[in-house]
Amino acid sequence: MLDQPPHAGTPACRRPRGAHRMKALRLPLQRAEVEALTVGDLVTVSGTVTMSIGLPTHQRMVDHLDRGEPLPVDLQDGAFFHLSCFNRERADGEGHEALYLNPTTSTRYSPYMPRLIEGAGLRLVGGKGGLDDASVQALQRQGCVYLSFLGGGSTLLSQAIRRVVAVHWTDYIAQFRLLTLEVEDLGPATVAIDAHGRSVYADLRQQAEQRLQALRAAGA
């Protein structure tokens, strides 16, 4: 089942006052390029991106890093996204094809992300729903940002697929494999956590807490 689209006030749709025009990012990225991004920026991503929604896949990646073994794909200065994708062998036997892209919630991967962000040298991560405070700190140390993709935006996001570059760990189901695609103008996505520790999710929590306190005070 495809994830449902967010309400208008969620991070994927929220564009703060004064936000910049759409920025086109092309991988690989240098730290300075990433640090120039700020919360609320709208971006598209082009180049090779790697993805998986498998919890076992994340554990396997961390295990590789902890043992000092290289990952099957070089993610240095690259992107790793929580995007679901059904991929299969082509009918003509010439490699694989990817049928769709759709973001899934990143929060359940938070225990793995600090190790992956820094250990793999990532510049972009993303999905929807954000990451925990430990991951935000890892983003700052590494010079990496979290992108929020539109939930339910599969049709739009899938238009960015150009070809399957590589499929690793095919012992998993399709969506859990470590999949690398070439994409062009993947997005739009919102910079929801930047490389300086600013987070739209933290802002929303603070606003909600302030509103709750005001309501309690009014009812006292």
Side-chain angles (χ1 to χ4, degrees):
M1 180 181 295
L2 297 181
D3 295 311
Q4 296 300 309
H7 298 295
T10 58
C13 300
R14 182 175 180 266
R15 190 177 186 187
R17 184 181 303 173
H20 303 296
R21 61 181 176 80
M22 188 83 69
K23 296 183 177 181
L25 304 179
R26 182 164 292 277
L27 296 160
L29 291 168
Q30 299 303 308
R31 183 174 187 131
E33 297 176 90
V34 175
E35 290 182 337
L37 299 171
T38 190
V39 163
D41 282 347
L42 291 176
V43 303
T44 59
V45 180
S46 298
T48 57
V49 301
T50 299
M51 62 198 65
S52 178
I53 66 166
L55 285 169
T57 316
H58 284 68
Q59 183 63 62
R60 195 167 177 176
M61 294 172 75
V62 168
D63 289 344
H64 270 65
L65 293 173
D66 287 347
R67 291 193 299 262
E69 299 174 0
L71 294 171
V73 57
D74 184 4
L75 298 177
Q76 184 69 43
D77 297 326
F80 178 68
F81 295 141
H82 297 134
L83 294 176
S84 177
C85 179
F86 183 80
N87 55 93
R88 65 185 182 189
E89 291 187 10
R90 294 171 55 94
D92 58 11
E94 298 294 325
H96 285 73
E97 60 181 346
L99 302 188
Y100 69 84
L101 294 176
N102 201 56
T104 194
T105 304
S106 298
T107 49
R108 64 181 178 271
Y109 308 107
S110 286
Y112 308 100
M113 292 310 293
R115 184 72 178 99
L116 293 180
I117 289 165
E118 295 185 273
L122 292 166
R123 296 299 179 201
L124 303 177
V125 295
K128 65 176 187 176
L131 293 167
D132 66 4
D133 289 341
S135 299
V136 173
Q137 293 168 16
L139 293 173
Q140 287 182 266
R141 291 191 297 267
Q142 169 61 25
C144 182
V145 300
Y146 177 88
L147 302 181
S148 176
F149 291 96
L150 179 64
S154 178
T155 301
L156 178 61
L157 297 175
S158 300
Q159 293 175 8
I161 299 172
R162 293 296 175 265
R163 66 184 180 95
V164 175
V165 176
V167 182
H168 295 286
W169 298 340
T170 55
D171 50 317
Y172 291 144
I173 63 171
Q175 293 86 349
F176 281 25
R177 296 168 181 168
L178 198 60
L179 175 68
T180 302
L181 300 180
E182 180 182 338
V183 297
E184 190 69 28
D185 295 330
L186 175 63
T190 303
V191 177
I193 307 173
D194 65 22
H196 307 285
R198 293 183 288 258
S199 168
V200 69
Y201 306 102
D203 291 346
L204 290 172
R205 284 196 298 271
Q206 183 179 25
Q207 292 170 18
E209 290 170 0
Q210 291 174 345
R211 185 170 298 178
L212 180 59
Q213 291 175 2
L215 289 171
R216 286 173 174 169

